Amino acid sequence: MAAADGSYPVSPSPGRLLRLTLAIYSNTKSDADASGEFARNYVVKASAIAAKHGIEMYQQCFSPPNYREAIDAMSRQNKRGWVVDDHDITIEFYFRTFEELTAVNVDPDFQALQAAEGPYVNLIHTVVSLSWVEKYVDSGKVVNIVDGKSTYPPRAALVDLGTPVLGSVEQQ
């Protein structure tokens, strides 16, 4: 929250937080209840593996048809022209270094977990993206803005994947 003078609390640079997103279709041949049970069991195991290797956040986002229909109606009502993503599940990994992500991918328990996905996940047409995250509102409060400016490192540092941008007071 801004102080009376309009300033925000001083905070160190948040550094670069990377997000790997995988947009996935459910396997239409699997039963919805069985798929839901698989997803609940999967997340328990995947979360433990991700945390063990330093992943900062791992989450699954579900987008059933009625949610997609609702956002499509909003787009039409507001004349936005949005293309509504029709994937069923989006998986997000948030991490600082590729070493953390690689450690998850080569973990034998994670590989075994992925091998069990076949009956529940359509592995064709998965859409993957890699991006960095800049958070400016958290729990209803403005964050990462000091004296009216973002505390994130310069864009050039964030774009260069060879540059370690882990976050420190010196990077303000």
Side-chain angles (χ1 to χ4, degrees), residues 123-143:
L123 299 177
I124 300 171
H125 306 297
T126 296
V127 175
V128 180
S129 69
L130 177 66
S131 54
W132 80 76
V133 177
E134 293 187 11
K135 183 189 320 187
Y136 294 105
V137 175
D138 190 9
S139 300
K141 296 180 182 171
V142 173
V143 296

Side-chain angles (χ1 to χ4, degrees), residues 6 44-45 52 70-71 75 77 98 104 115 118 121 135 140:
V44 170
K45 296 171 185 172
K52 176 174 77 172
I71 200 70
S75 173
Q77 178 182 346
F98 282 102
V104 170
V121 174
K135 183 189 320 187

Side-chain angles (χ1 to χ4, degrees), residues 7 62 71 94 129 149-150:
S7 66
F62 297 89
I71 200 70
Y94 293 79
S129 69
K149 295 181 182 177
S150 171

Side-chain angles (χ1 to χ4, degrees), residues 58-172:
Y58 166 81
Q59 60 189 21
Q60 296 181 354
C61 306
F62 297 89
S63 181
N66 61 318
Y67 281 43
R68 298 190 300 261
E69 291 164 8
I71 200 70
D72 185 55
M74 182 187 299
S75 173
R76 283 184 277 113
Q77 178 182 346
N78 296 320
K79 298 179 174 73
R80 300 299 301 182
W82 294 336
V83 175
V84 177
D85 185 347
D86 65 346
H87 287 88
D88 301 302
I89 304 166
T90 301
I91 309 297
E92 297 178 337
F93 290 88
Y94 293 79
F95 55 97
R96 300 277 174 192
T97 69
F98 282 102
E99 288 80 10
E100 295 157 351
L101 186 62
T102 299
V104 170
N105 285 324
V106 300
D107 186 298
D109 292 331
F110 190 70
Q111 291 176 350
L113 196 57
Q114 286 188 303
E117 294 175 353
Y120 308 100
V121 174
N122 179 343
L123 299 177
I124 300 171
H125 306 297
T126 296
V127 175
V128 180
S129 69
L130 177 66
S131 54
W132 80 76
V133 177
E134 293 187 11
K135 183 189 320 187
Y136 294 105
V137 175
D138 190 9
S139 300
K141 296 180 182 171
V142 173
V143 296
N144 301 320
I145 296 177
V146 175
D147 296 329
K149 295 181 182 177
S150 171
T151 61
Y152 282 92
R155 186 179 195 290
L158 293 167
V159 169
D160 182 0
L161 290 174
T163 303
V165 185
L166 301 178
S168 69
V169 175
E170 294 77 37
Q171 291 178 349
Q172 287 195 114

